[in-house]
Amino acid sequence: MDVIMAKSAEKYDGFPQSKSDMLHLLMDEYGEEIKRLVFTYTKNWAQSEDIAQEIFLSVYKNLDSFREQSNIKTWIYRIAINKCKDYVRSWHYKRTVITDIIFSNETEDSPETVYLYSEQKQMVSKLILQLPIKYREVIVLYYFKDLTMEEASAALEMNVNTLKSRLRRAKNILESKLRSKGGL
Amino acid sequence: MDRLLNDMKQEFENSISADPVFSLRERCQIIKLIEMEETRTPRPSSWFPKLLSGTVLASLFLFTLFIMMDYTGVKENTQSSHNKKQTNIEAPPHHISENEINEKVAYIESKMKLGLSETEVHRLFGKNFVILDNSDSENGSVKRIGYNLLVNDPSLEKKMDSSIIDEENLLKRNIGVQLFIGFTKEGKVQWATSNYAYDGEVYMTSWDKNGMATKKLHEAAEKKDEIIEDYASEQYKTFSDKEKEVYEAFRKSLDENLLRDLDPISIAKFYAQANIAQEFDVVYALYTDRKNYIHMSKEEYEKLPSSHRFTPENAFNAFKNIEKGKFISHEDNITAHIEYMADPDAEAPSGFTMVKDEDGIWNISFLPLQ
């Protein structure tokens, strides 16, 4: 706990006095990116908000058990990923996914917004969110959350070689999907 | 693929949401949750707390007994004067607390989902709603209702005007939360907004096909204006002096004759500018009205949901470099297209279809992008 406080204090003017101060610092630093990460799993903002709450609650409860072996970013990411995986295994998630599909189909044919998806990067963003979770998460963590291979593998609790092969496979799937849509 | 992924962090984050997603309200909720958890957590037992709580309980019992005896005695002795006093004292006005509002907001946010039926909505939020005018719907909803939840005066429960947010009463906490809901023709929730005051500002949480998002009411409007201004002024720079003069006259009068001697590319630039500036009456005036071509009445066009229109950013990107495009007339001598490179890295150029009206003026096809 003191180690986290000392590390975080380097970035802030005041030294955090309590667990509650520490939580505020962590929400400042990671709140936005964690909620965005959660959305890449749930694809639903209402659920993302609930899960982000659970994550920071869990962070708060477990601050005392944080060990210096992992860095705090990896530690928070691991908590977040585990919460997200609990959620996607739930019945509620399966029901929400069906609802999301119904609503996304409703808007797919709007004439002028078709352009939005014709741009390659936007198309890839959309395709990433359609990947199976095991491929989606490695792309998001490594390319968009600035985690190194080692950090991403620690957050996902998998070895680096597995991570590398998942990344390779994820990129292959993306390439073939992009090709089939005429984007490559 | 590796290079593309390395370059697109910002685009990916924007595709999730261009605005911040972790709000102050959520932080407050987390802190509140933690406080609630901590009060629920039992403290380690020891003899001192037991003794303390025993003493407190005994004192409470004695105090209650004393009050009951005292009250009964007073009641017996001074019942008539006491009653007289009570009739003169008015009940203090109910002040809606921040906690009440927070709890209501959290309840709405945990229950509201797109696709809920009207019956489910009534079950969740009650039947004390107002049916509102839906004629200005941009979202395609066919029915709109509104709730004033948590009011300190019952007369405010049904005081609603269309979907205008009663900021004054929200800020004064006369109304805790205003909830607006739009339904599809099948009677399912298509969109909803929940509006409430927090820390002297009005916040809006909205649910639509893009999910749920919370924004400060005025911040969102100011930000949108700022974005429109940035993109519109950038595009406007490509106008020649003559184009500026005609465009300004056209957007005021919508008189098609002003376009008569213009180069078709100038007309396409006007269309781009009007879309970027979100001036949809100008956009509509530029569409073709030639028979046998796709046409939409002004009323139909105005009812188009916002998802069917360009955002300023999309319009800016879609029509980038159209001024450098090549105008290619087709064999029928009625249609033509402009070929241009909106994205210099794209493999194929973009195409923009135009139609010559019977009066000889080039107009825009209803589905201009190829």
Side-chain angles (χ1 to χ4, degrees):
Chain A
M1 168 77 172
D2 288 343
V3 175
I4 320 170
M5 288 190 173
K7 280 187 170 183
S8 299
E10 290 165 14
K11 294 183 181 177
Y12 298 94
D13 292 339
F15 191 88
Q17 298 293 313
S18 63
K19 270 172 79 175
S20 172
D21 288 350
M22 191 58 219
L23 182 74
H24 278 283
L25 294 182
L26 293 175
M27 287 198 288
D28 279 346
E29 181 83 11
Y30 298 111
E32 179 74 19
E33 63 182 277
I34 287 294
K35 191 168 168 199
R36 285 171 174 273
L37 173 75
V38 175
F39 181 82
T40 67
Y41 284 85
T42 63
K43 297 192 258 181
N44 176 308
W45 284 117
Q47 290 304 331
S48 302
E49 185 171 330
D50 289 349
I51 295 169
Q53 275 183 7
E54 282 180 36
I55 291 165
F56 281 103
L57 198 62
S58 182
V59 164
Y60 180 81
K61 283 180 184 166
N62 294 295
L63 268 176
D64 293 324
S65 63
F66 171 75
R67 293 194 192 122
E68 207 193 348
Q69 283 98 317
S70 61
N71 73 37
I72 191 135
K73 181 174 177 177
T74 313
W75 181 68
I76 292 180
Y77 267 67
R78 190 182 306 152
I79 292 173
I81 291 164
N82 286 333
K83 291 277 177 203
C84 291
K85 289 189 172 168
D86 286 346
Y87 171 70
V88 296
R89 278 192 286 263
S90 69
W91 171 83
H92 184 263
Y93 168 74
K94 288 173 178 102
R95 194 189 62 166
T96 315
V97 167
I98 293 165
T99 319
D100 276 356
I101 290 166
I102 293 165
F103 279 100
S104 65
N105 282 346
E106 265 182 12
T107 57
E108 226 166 46
D109 294 324
S110 64
E112 293 192 329
T113 51
V114 167
Y115 174 79
L116 187 71
Y117 302 110
S118 70
E119 282 206 338
Q120 198 179 41
K121 285 177 182 173
Q122 282 167 336
M123 195 191 286
V124 174
S125 298
K126 202 180 169 202
L127 291 174
I128 289 168
L129 291 177
Q130 289 170 357
L131 284 174
I133 283 174
K134 64 178 181 177
Y135 299 123
R136 194 189 316 159
E137 64 188 4
V138 291
I139 294 273
V140 170
L141 292 180
Y142 181 67
Y143 287 102
F144 307 138
K145 298 293 175 192
D146 298 326
L147 264 63
T148 62
M149 289 274 185
E150 289 70 26
E151 286 170 337
S153 65
L156 291 165
E157 296 174 279
M158 65 172 65
N159 75 44
V160 177
N161 285 337
T162 312
L163 180 88
K164 282 180 182 168
S165 82
R166 283 217 183 146
L167 261 179
R168 203 168 36 246
R169 176 86 187 111
K171 284 188 281 185
N172 287 343
I173 297 171
L174 275 179
E175 269 173 5
S176 67
K177 285 193 176 222
L178 201 54
R179 206 172 280 122
S180 71
K181 287 187 181 288
L184 263 183
Chain B
M1 179 54 71
D2 206 46
R3 190 177 63 84
L4 179 70
L5 288 167
N6 274 319
D7 285 348
M8 58 175 282
K9 180 180 173 187
Q10 199 54 47
E11 281 81 1
F12 180 75
E13 294 297 351
N14 282 343
S15 75
I16 291 175
S17 168
D19 297 311
V21 297
F22 190 64
S23 65
L24 182 63
R25 184 186 52 73
E26 284 179 74
R27 288 176 60 125
C28 294
Q29 271 180 343
I30 291 168
I31 299 297
K32 201 174 146 194
L33 265 176
I34 286 169
E35 284 169 2
M36 281 162 62
E37 283 275 323
E38 295 216 313
T39 49
R40 267 189 226 133
T41 312
R43 307 256 175 231
S45 63
S46 70
W47 63 271
F48 181 71
K50 278 179 187 167
L51 181 69
L52 192 69
S53 59
T55 315
V56 168
L57 275 174
S59 312
L60 265 175
F61 175 73
L62 286 171
F63 182 70
T64 316
L65 197 66
F66 171 76
I67 293 285
M68 279 174 73
M69 286 171 73
D70 187 49
Y71 178 72
T72 318
V74 169
K75 199 177 170 188
E76 276 168 4
N77 296 331
T78 60
Q79 197 171 26
S80 57
S81 63
H82 184 76
N83 280 352
K84 197 175 174 185
K85 265 187 195 168
Q86 268 198 336
T87 49
N88 289 340
I89 298 168
E90 282 181 19
H94 174 62
H95 179 72
I96 304 166
S97 72
E98 195 173 302
N99 269 351
E100 281 179 288
I101 296 174
N102 282 346
E103 276 169 21
K104 186 61 79 179
V105 168
Y107 173 79
I108 294 169
E109 293 183 0
S110 66
K111 301 293 178 193
M112 179 56 75
K113 303 267 183 300
L114 295 188
L116 286 177
S117 69
E118 282 195 61
T119 320
E120 285 171 312
V121 167
H122 299 164
R123 202 175 63 233
L124 290 169
F125 307 113
K127 290 186 177 172
N128 222 355
F129 56 83
V130 180
I131 296 177
L132 299 165
D133 177 18
N134 190 59
S135 56
D136 63 342
S137 170
E138 288 185 1
N139 302 300
S141 56
V142 298
K143 182 179 177 183
R144 185 184 305 185
I145 65 168
Y147 288 90
N148 279 340
L149 302 168
L150 292 178
V151 289
N152 65 4
D153 175 354
S155 69
L156 287 171
E157 263 183 356
K158 295 202 169 182
K159 188 179 170 283
M160 297 195 111
D161 181 14
S162 183
S163 287
I164 297 167
I165 299 160
D166 190 345
E167 289 181 58
E168 194 185 335
N169 275 319
L170 287 173
L171 287 167
K172 285 181 180 167
R173 289 206 199 147
N174 294 330
I175 300 173
V177 185
Q178 278 200 309
L179 178 65
F180 296 100
I181 304 170
F183 293 96
T184 61
K185 62 177 186 295
E186 291 82 19
K188 305 281 183 189
V189 173
Q190 187 180 39
W191 59 265
T193 71
S194 145
N195 307 278
Y196 51 93
Y198 178 80
D199 207 15
E201 302 274 0
V202 177
Y203 285 80
M204 175 195 276
T205 301
S206 57
W207 293 259
D208 59 22
K209 62 183 186 303
N210 299 316
M212 189 184 95
T214 302
K215 283 178 184 168
K216 228 188 252 181
L217 201 62
H218 292 297
E219 193 177 65
E222 280 162 24
K223 199 172 167 193
K224 192 179 174 196
D225 288 346
E226 213 174 286
I227 292 170
I228 290 174
E229 208 176 288
D230 284 353
Y231 283 117
S233 62
E234 196 61 31
Q235 162 75 12
Y236 203 61
K237 284 181 195 160
T238 69
F239 280 23
S240 67
D241 287 344
K242 190 191 170 196
E243 284 171 337
K244 282 178 189 168
E245 191 186 319
V246 178
Y247 182 74
E248 290 308 326
F250 179 72
R251 66 192 278 268
K252 279 179 198 149
S253 67
L254 303 180
D255 178 4
E256 217 185 7
N257 285 315
L258 291 166
L259 311 175
R260 189 170 296 280
D261 300 324
L262 277 186
D263 188 294
I265 290 183
S266 299
I267 296 170
K269 283 165 73 177
F270 289 4
Y271 177 78
Q273 179 70 22
N275 270 297
I276 294 167
Q278 308 278 281
E279 293 179 333
F280 295 113
D281 53 339
V282 182
V283 172
Y284 184 80
L286 288 164
Y287 281 127
T288 182
D289 51 10
R290 194 178 182 108
K291 282 174 196 157
N292 301 326
Y293 283 81
I294 301 172
H295 186 70
M296 211 183 273
S297 70
K298 186 98 190 270
E299 289 71 33
E300 285 171 321
Y301 179 72
E302 280 168 354
K303 280 182 188 163
L304 275 180
S306 54
S307 59
H308 284 53
R309 301 176 193 272
F310 280 108
T311 64
E313 188 183 2
N314 292 343
F316 181 79
N317 290 328
F319 302 118
K320 206 184 268 178
N321 297 325
I322 200 161
E323 72 281 1
K324 296 175 194 155
K326 193 173 156 195
F327 181 75
I328 299 163
S329 196
H330 300 167
E331 278 179 9
D332 58 10
N333 210 25
I334 292 171
T335 55
H337 73 274
I338 297 170
E339 210 171 86
Y340 66 105
M341 296 298 288
D343 176 4
D345 296 329
E347 283 184 8
S350 300
F352 183 83
T353 310
M354 298 186 78
V355 179
K356 197 197 279 180
D357 280 358
E358 278 95 347
D359 54 12
I361 298 171
W362 284 100
N363 275 181
I364 315 299
S365 154
F366 263 94
L367 294 169
L369 285 175
Q370 294 176 355

